[in-house]
Amino acid sequence: MWYNIYMERNTVDILGYGVDTFSFDNAVDYIVNNHGQIVTINPEMIECADKDNNFRTIINNAEMVVPDGIGIQLGLKILGKNVKRIPGIDLGKALLIRANNLNKSVAFVGAKPKVIENAVINIKSELPNLNIVYQHDGYFSDANVIINELQEKQPDFVLVALGSPKQEFFISELKGLLPNAVMIGLGGSFDVWAGMVNRAPKIYQKLGLEWLYRTISEPRRIKRIFPSLPFFVLKVVKERMIGR
Ligand code: UDP
Protein backbone atom coordinates (compact mmCIF):
# COMPACT_ATOMS: atom_id res chain seq x y z
CA MET A 1 0.00 0.00 0.00
CA TRP A 2 1.33 3.47 -0.86
CA TYR A 3 0.46 6.62 1.00
CA ASN A 4 1.47 10.15 0.09
CA ILE A 5 3.64 11.14 3.05
CA TYR A 6 4.87 14.44 1.64
CA MET A 7 1.56 16.27 1.68
CA GLU A 8 1.33 19.65 3.39
CA ARG A 9 -1.55 21.47 5.01
CA ASN A 10 -3.30 24.14 3.03
CA THR A 11 -5.82 26.04 5.14
CA VAL A 12 -8.41 28.69 4.38
CA ASP A 13 -9.48 31.21 6.99
CA ILE A 14 -13.01 31.63 8.24
CA LEU A 15 -13.68 34.17 11.02
CA GLY A 16 -10.13 33.69 12.28
CA TYR A 17 -10.07 29.87 12.18
CA GLY A 18 -7.96 27.91 9.72
CA VAL A 19 -9.81 25.11 7.97
CA ASP A 20 -7.96 22.42 6.03
CA THR A 21 -8.75 21.89 2.37
CA PHE A 22 -7.68 18.25 2.03
CA SER A 23 -9.74 15.86 -0.04
CA PHE A 24 -11.19 13.08 2.09
CA ASP A 25 -8.52 10.51 1.15
CA ASN A 26 -5.68 13.00 1.53
CA ALA A 27 -7.00 13.99 4.97
CA VAL A 28 -6.74 10.36 6.09
CA ASP A 29 -3.25 9.95 4.61
CA TYR A 30 -2.01 13.21 6.08
CA ILE A 31 -3.16 12.64 9.64
CA VAL A 32 -2.07 9.00 9.75
CA ASN A 33 1.43 10.12 8.77
CA ASN A 34 1.58 13.24 10.92
CA HIS A 35 -0.49 12.31 14.01
CA GLY A 36 -2.18 14.76 16.37
CA GLN A 37 -5.60 16.24 16.99
CA ILE A 38 -8.38 16.43 14.42
CA VAL A 39 -11.14 18.97 15.03
CA THR A 40 -14.33 18.56 13.01
CA ILE A 41 -15.41 22.18 13.04
CA ASN A 42 -18.94 23.58 12.76
CA PRO A 43 -20.60 26.99 13.35
CA GLU A 44 -21.61 26.16 16.95
CA MET A 45 -17.99 25.40 17.78
CA ILE A 46 -16.87 28.72 16.30
CA GLU A 47 -19.50 30.52 18.36
CA CYS A 48 -18.26 28.73 21.48
CA ALA A 49 -14.57 29.35 20.70
CA ASP A 50 -15.25 33.06 20.09
CA LYS A 51 -16.28 33.23 23.76
CA ASP A 52 -13.59 30.90 25.11
CA ASN A 53 -9.97 31.66 24.35
CA ASN A 54 -8.76 28.27 25.54
CA PHE A 55 -11.05 26.55 23.06
CA ARG A 56 -9.92 28.91 20.31
CA THR A 57 -6.30 28.02 21.07
CA ILE A 58 -7.08 24.30 20.96
CA ILE A 59 -8.71 24.65 17.53
CA ASN A 60 -5.90 26.78 16.18
CA ASN A 61 -3.27 24.36 17.50
CA ALA A 62 -4.97 21.26 16.12
CA GLU A 63 -3.03 19.29 13.56
CA MET A 64 -6.11 19.16 11.34
CA VAL A 65 -9.40 21.07 11.22
CA VAL A 66 -11.95 19.63 8.83
CA PRO A 67 -15.24 21.21 7.71
CA ASP A 68 -17.73 18.77 9.18
CA GLY A 69 -20.99 20.07 7.81
CA ILE A 70 -22.79 22.31 5.39
CA GLY A 71 -22.51 25.39 7.70
CA ILE A 72 -18.76 25.81 7.32
CA GLN A 73 -18.92 24.84 3.65
CA LEU A 74 -21.56 27.51 3.07
CA GLY A 75 -19.57 30.09 5.04
CA LEU A 76 -16.47 29.38 2.99
CA LYS A 77 -18.49 29.61 -0.19
CA ILE A 78 -19.70 33.08 0.83
CA LEU A 79 -16.01 33.98 1.20
CA GLY A 80 -15.39 32.69 -2.31
CA LYS A 81 -13.71 29.43 -1.31
CA ASN A 82 -14.91 26.04 -2.46
CA VAL A 83 -14.05 23.38 0.08
CA LYS A 84 -15.51 19.88 0.28
CA ARG A 85 -17.12 18.72 3.49
CA ILE A 86 -15.49 15.94 5.50
CA PRO A 87 -18.11 14.48 7.86
CA GLY A 88 -16.45 13.49 11.13
CA ILE A 89 -18.34 10.20 11.30
CA ASP A 90 -16.97 9.16 7.88
CA LEU A 91 -13.46 10.27 8.77
CA GLY A 92 -13.68 8.33 12.04
CA LYS A 93 -14.72 5.20 10.16
CA ALA A 94 -11.92 5.66 7.61
CA LEU A 95 -9.42 5.93 10.47
CA LEU A 96 -10.70 2.66 11.93
CA ILE A 97 -10.31 0.94 8.56
CA ARG A 98 -6.79 2.36 8.25
CA ALA A 99 -5.94 1.23 11.81
CA ASN A 100 -7.21 -2.21 10.94
CA ASN A 101 -5.12 -2.38 7.74
CA LEU A 102 -1.98 -1.10 9.42
CA ASN A 103 -2.49 -3.23 12.52
CA LYS A 104 -2.54 -0.19 14.79
CA SER A 105 -4.21 -0.05 18.19
CA VAL A 106 -7.41 1.86 18.85
CA ALA A 107 -9.16 3.37 21.90
CA PHE A 108 -12.75 4.58 22.22
CA VAL A 109 -13.93 7.07 24.85
CA GLY A 110 -17.40 8.53 25.10
CA ALA A 111 -21.17 8.07 24.95
CA LYS A 112 -23.43 6.22 27.38
CA PRO A 113 -22.21 2.81 28.63
CA LYS A 114 -24.70 0.79 26.57
CA VAL A 115 -24.00 2.94 23.51
CA ILE A 116 -20.24 2.48 23.49
CA GLU A 117 -20.68 -1.22 24.21
CA ASN A 118 -22.96 -1.67 21.18
CA ALA A 119 -20.88 0.62 18.98
CA VAL A 120 -17.77 -1.48 19.68
CA ILE A 121 -19.67 -4.73 19.08
CA ASN A 122 -20.85 -3.43 15.69
CA ILE A 123 -17.42 -2.16 14.73
CA LYS A 124 -15.84 -5.48 15.71
CA SER A 125 -18.30 -7.34 13.53
CA GLU A 126 -17.24 -5.15 10.59
CA LEU A 127 -13.52 -5.17 11.39
CA PRO A 128 -12.94 -8.38 13.37
CA ASN A 129 -9.15 -7.95 13.51
CA LEU A 130 -9.23 -4.38 14.80
CA ASN A 131 -6.90 -4.11 17.80
CA ILE A 132 -9.06 -2.35 20.40
CA VAL A 133 -6.92 -1.76 23.48
CA TYR A 134 -9.25 0.49 25.46
CA GLN A 135 -12.86 1.60 25.73
CA HIS A 136 -14.69 3.72 28.30
CA ASP A 137 -18.05 5.47 28.37
CA GLY A 138 -18.19 9.26 28.50
CA TYR A 139 -19.80 9.70 31.91
CA PHE A 140 -16.84 9.75 34.28
CA SER A 141 -16.25 12.09 37.20
CA ASP A 142 -12.47 12.33 36.92
CA ALA A 143 -11.02 12.67 33.43
CA ASN A 144 -7.52 12.14 34.84
CA VAL A 145 -8.31 8.50 35.58
CA ILE A 146 -9.17 7.89 31.91
CA ILE A 147 -6.22 9.97 30.73
CA ASN A 148 -3.82 7.93 32.89
CA GLU A 149 -5.27 4.66 31.62
CA LEU A 150 -4.88 5.85 28.03
CA GLN A 151 -1.31 6.90 28.71
CA GLU A 152 -0.57 3.38 29.92
CA LYS A 153 -2.14 1.77 26.83
CA GLN A 154 -0.55 4.17 24.31
CA PRO A 155 -3.14 3.59 21.58
CA ASP A 156 -2.28 4.72 18.04
CA PHE A 157 -5.80 6.02 17.38
CA VAL A 158 -8.14 7.60 19.93
CA LEU A 159 -11.79 8.25 19.05
CA VAL A 160 -13.53 10.54 21.53
CA ALA A 161 -17.29 11.17 21.57
CA LEU A 162 -18.07 13.52 24.46
CA GLY A 163 -19.73 16.31 22.50
CA SER A 164 -18.05 19.62 21.84
CA PRO A 165 -16.10 21.35 23.35
CA LYS A 166 -15.61 18.62 26.01
CA GLN A 167 -14.01 16.20 23.56
CA GLU A 168 -11.59 18.80 22.17
CA PHE A 169 -10.44 19.77 25.68
CA PHE A 170 -10.05 16.09 26.58
CA ILE A 171 -7.94 15.41 23.49
CA SER A 172 -5.79 18.48 24.10
CA GLU A 173 -4.97 17.09 27.58
CA LEU A 174 -3.90 13.83 25.97
CA LYS A 175 -1.75 15.34 23.26
CA GLY A 176 1.48 15.62 25.22
CA LEU A 177 1.01 12.14 26.68
CA LEU A 178 0.30 10.36 23.40
CA PRO A 179 2.59 12.23 21.01
CA ASN A 180 2.24 9.68 18.21
CA ALA A 181 -1.50 9.16 18.33
CA VAL A 182 -4.18 10.28 15.91
CA MET A 183 -7.07 11.68 17.97
CA ILE A 184 -10.46 12.84 16.79
CA GLY A 185 -13.58 14.24 18.47
CA LEU A 186 -16.66 12.59 17.02
CA GLY A 187 -19.74 14.08 18.73
CA GLY A 188 -22.69 11.73 18.42
CA SER A 189 -21.04 9.21 16.08
CA PHE A 190 -20.96 6.34 18.60
CA ASP A 191 -24.74 6.66 18.92
CA VAL A 192 -25.01 6.10 15.17
CA TRP A 193 -22.52 3.20 15.19
CA ALA A 194 -24.42 1.63 18.07
CA GLY A 195 -27.60 1.75 15.99
CA MET A 196 -29.26 3.98 18.64
CA VAL A 197 -29.65 6.92 16.26
CA ASN A 198 -30.23 6.61 12.54
CA ARG A 199 -27.90 8.44 10.25
CA ALA A 200 -29.65 10.71 7.78
CA PRO A 201 -30.66 8.92 4.57
CA LYS A 202 -28.17 9.23 1.70
CA ILE A 203 -30.20 11.89 -0.11
CA TYR A 204 -29.93 14.22 2.94
CA GLN A 205 -26.18 13.49 3.14
CA LYS A 206 -25.73 14.29 -0.56
CA LEU A 207 -27.57 17.58 -0.26
CA GLY A 208 -25.66 18.54 2.91
CA LEU A 209 -28.91 18.46 4.86
CA GLU A 210 -27.99 15.98 7.62
CA TRP A 211 -28.55 18.77 10.15
CA LEU A 212 -32.13 19.14 8.91
CA TYR A 213 -32.79 15.40 9.28
CA ARG A 214 -31.24 15.37 12.76
CA THR A 215 -33.26 18.40 13.80
CA ILE A 216 -36.50 16.83 12.59
CA SER A 217 -35.72 13.55 14.37
CA GLU A 218 -34.49 15.24 17.55
CA PRO A 219 -36.33 18.59 17.83
CA ARG A 220 -34.35 19.56 20.99
CA ARG A 221 -31.48 20.21 18.60
CA ILE A 222 -33.22 23.28 17.26
CA LYS A 223 -31.73 25.23 20.20
CA ARG A 224 -28.25 24.22 19.02
CA ILE A 225 -28.66 25.36 15.44
CA PHE A 226 -30.66 28.53 16.07
CA PRO A 227 -29.51 31.19 16.53
CA SER A 228 -25.96 29.83 15.95
CA LEU A 229 -26.24 29.14 12.24
CA PRO A 230 -27.95 32.38 11.09
CA PHE A 231 -25.56 34.44 13.26
CA PHE A 232 -22.63 32.61 11.76
CA VAL A 233 -23.84 33.30 8.23
CA LEU A 234 -24.37 36.97 9.08
CA LYS A 235 -20.86 37.25 10.51
CA VAL A 236 -19.37 35.67 7.41
CA VAL A 237 -21.34 37.99 5.13
CA LYS A 238 -20.07 40.94 7.20
CA GLU A 239 -16.50 39.64 6.92
CA ARG A 240 -16.93 39.34 3.18
CA MET A 241 -18.29 42.88 2.83
CA ILE A 242 -16.27 44.92 5.30
CA GLY A 243 -13.61 42.61 6.70
CA ARG A 244 -13.30 41.40 10.28
N1 UDP B 1 -21.52 12.56 25.99
C1 UDP B 1 -20.65 11.94 26.86
N2 UDP B 1 -20.35 12.54 28.03
C2 UDP B 1 -20.87 13.74 28.39
C3 UDP B 1 -21.75 14.39 27.49
C4 UDP B 1 -22.05 13.78 26.28
O1 UDP B 1 -20.15 10.87 26.56
O2 UDP B 1 -20.56 14.21 29.47
C5 UDP B 1 -21.81 11.90 24.73
C6 UDP B 1 -23.28 11.71 24.43
O3 UDP B 1 -23.75 10.55 25.08
C7 UDP B 1 -23.27 11.59 22.92
C8 UDP B 1 -22.08 12.49 22.53
O4 UDP B 1 -21.35 12.72 23.71
O5 UDP B 1 -22.95 10.26 22.57
C9 UDP B 1 -22.43 13.88 22.05
O6 UDP B 1 -23.45 13.88 21.28
P1 UDP B 1 -24.08 15.20 20.72
O7 UDP B 1 -25.20 14.75 19.90
O8 UDP B 1 -24.33 16.18 21.81
O9 UDP B 1 -22.87 15.77 19.86
P2 UDP B 1 -22.76 16.39 18.43
O10 UDP B 1 -22.77 15.26 17.45
O11 UDP B 1 -23.93 17.31 18.25
O12 UDP B 1 -21.45 17.10 18.55
Side-chain angles (χ1 to χ4, degrees):
M1 227 173 302
W2 181 84
Y3 301 121
N4 183 357
I5 55 172
Y6 300 111
M7 240 176 315
E8 280 187 16
R9 293 183 77 182
N10 180 17
T11 58
V12 288
D13 182 277
I14 186 158
L15 303 176
Y17 300 85
V19 178
D20 282 288
T21 57
F22 290 114
S23 67
F24 187 89
D25 290 343
N26 285 351
V28 179
D29 283 352
Y30 178 84
I31 201 67
V32 169
N33 286 305
N34 292 279
H35 323 294
Q37 178 166 18
I38 308 171
V39 171
T40 62
I41 200 163
N42 62 33
E44 299 107 85
M45 287 162 81
I46 289 188
E47 191 190 0
C48 174
D50 279 347
K51 295 181 195 135
D52 180 344
N53 257 324
N54 294 330
F55 189 31
R56 171 187 284 271
T57 306
I58 288 173
I59 296 175
N60 286 334
N61 286 335
E63 281 61 35
M64 183 179 277
V65 180
V66 297
D68 183 48
I70 190 86
I72 299 291
Q73 190 186 30
L74 175 67
L76 286 168
K77 203 164 183 84
I78 294 169
L79 297 173
K81 299 157 190 170
N82 275 320
V83 177
K84 275 228 161 105
R85 291 186 303 132
I86 298 190
I89 187 165
D90 295 335
L91 186 55
K93 181 53 92 50
L95 291 175
L96 291 176
I97 293 169
R98 191 61 70 87
N100 189 55
N101 292 345
L102 298 174
N103 208 6
K104 300 278 190 188
S105 57
V106 176
F108 295 89
V109 178
K112 296 189 177 128
K114 197 73 202 154
V115 170
I116 183 167
E117 198 182 301
N118 286 337
V120 168
I121 288 171
N122 290 342
I123 285 162
K124 268 190 189 151
S125 76
E126 255 182 77
L127 301 168
N129 297 324
L130 187 66
N131 180 15
I132 301 172
V133 291
Y134 186 81
Q135 72 189 66
H136 200 290
D137 68 77
Y139 294 86
F140 38 81
S141 52
D142 185 358
N144 287 323
V145 173
I146 315 295
I147 288 172
N148 289 339
E149 287 173 357
L150 283 165
Q151 190 183 5
E152 238 166 68
K153 297 282 179 194
Q154 287 289 320
D156 299 307
F157 291 72
V158 186
L159 277 61
V160 185
L162 299 172
S164 187
K166 224 180 193 175
Q167 60 199 18
E168 284 76 28
F169 277 93
F170 183 85
I171 291 174
S172 82
E173 293 284 321
L174 271 175
K175 256 169 105 165
L177 306 171
L178 303 178
N180 297 317
V182 174
M183 295 179 276
I184 182 168
L186 284 176
S189 302
F190 293 3
D191 299 73
V192 176
W193 290 343
M196 309 296 206
V197 171
N198 286 330
R199 186 143 186 221
K202 279 270 181 304
I203 181 73
Y204 283 81
Q205 293 180 34
K206 257 212 169 100
L207 296 172
L209 292 176
E210 289 193 84
W211 61 274
L212 178 63
Y213 180 83
R214 290 173 78 189
T215 310
I216 296 167
S217 0
E218 280 177 85
R220 68 177 172 89
R221 282 186 172 273
I222 202 114
K223 278 202 267 148
R224 306 257 300 261
I225 295 177
F226 297 101
S228 226
L229 190 58
F231 267 143
F232 168 76
V233 172
L234 281 177
K235 269 194 191 163
V236 177
V237 170
K238 177 174 159 264
E239 172 161 315
R240 165 91 205 217
M241 292 175 60
I242 52 178
R244 205 174 304 138

